[in-house]
Amino acid sequence: LMIVNRRGYRGSSALDHDELDDLKNGRSAFMERRAAELAAFLLWMIDEHTIPGLSPDGLHGGFVLLGWCVGAATALALLGQTNVLPQGTIRRLEHYLKRVVLYGQRVVLE
């Protein structure tokens, strides 16, 4: 189990002025950067900790990405901003990402 705080929270690096400006003004660049950061981090984790790829039946290996509360947006950035990721990164992550869990979100559909 590995717990990582998202940017701007205790134990993680702060967001810089440009990133905060993008966030406050709703620019897609903010989420695009989060997707790229998360992808790079996951690839590092795979290599650093020798994470085994998913087995053909999907029962063994790989990892589950959990986004808790507002952190769910960071997990979703990885899935929703694939246009900014190199194809090699996407192909590699496909061999490891077992599930994405969004926890603590209340969704109301009307």
Side-chain angles (χ1 to χ4, degrees):
L1 176 64
M2 168 81 53
I3 298 173
V4 178
N5 286 341
R6 67 187 181 97
R7 296 275 309 277
Y9 280 76
R10 185 176 15 166
S12 187
S13 54
L15 295 166
D16 67 29
H17 174 73
D18 291 337
E19 292 170 317
L20 289 171
D21 189 57
D22 285 343
L23 174 61
K24 289 176 187 174
N25 289 293
R27 295 186 195 110
S28 62
F30 180 81
M31 293 306 278
E32 290 169 354
R33 279 197 295 272
R34 300 300 71 81
E37 284 176 350
L38 183 53
F41 173 75
L42 292 173
L43 292 178
W44 175 83
M45 285 290 296
I46 289 165
D47 293 338
E48 184 70 17
H49 297 282
T50 320
I51 309 258
L54 287 171
S55 63
D57 62 7
L59 297 176
H60 304 285
F63 58 83
V64 175
L65 177 63
L66 169 76
W68 175 48
C69 202
V70 177
T74 304
L76 286 173
L78 182 68
L79 303 178
Q81 304 293 330
T82 56
N83 58 310
V84 301
L85 302 176
Q87 286 300 309
T89 296
I90 295 168
R91 281 192 298 276
R92 189 151 181 238
L93 287 174
E94 286 175 339
H95 294 289
Y96 291 91
L97 184 59
K98 185 182 291 191
R99 288 190 176 52
V100 175
V101 176
L102 306 177
Y103 180 76
Q105 299 296 302
R106 181 174 178 201
V107 177
V108 178
L109 301 175
E110 295 182 14

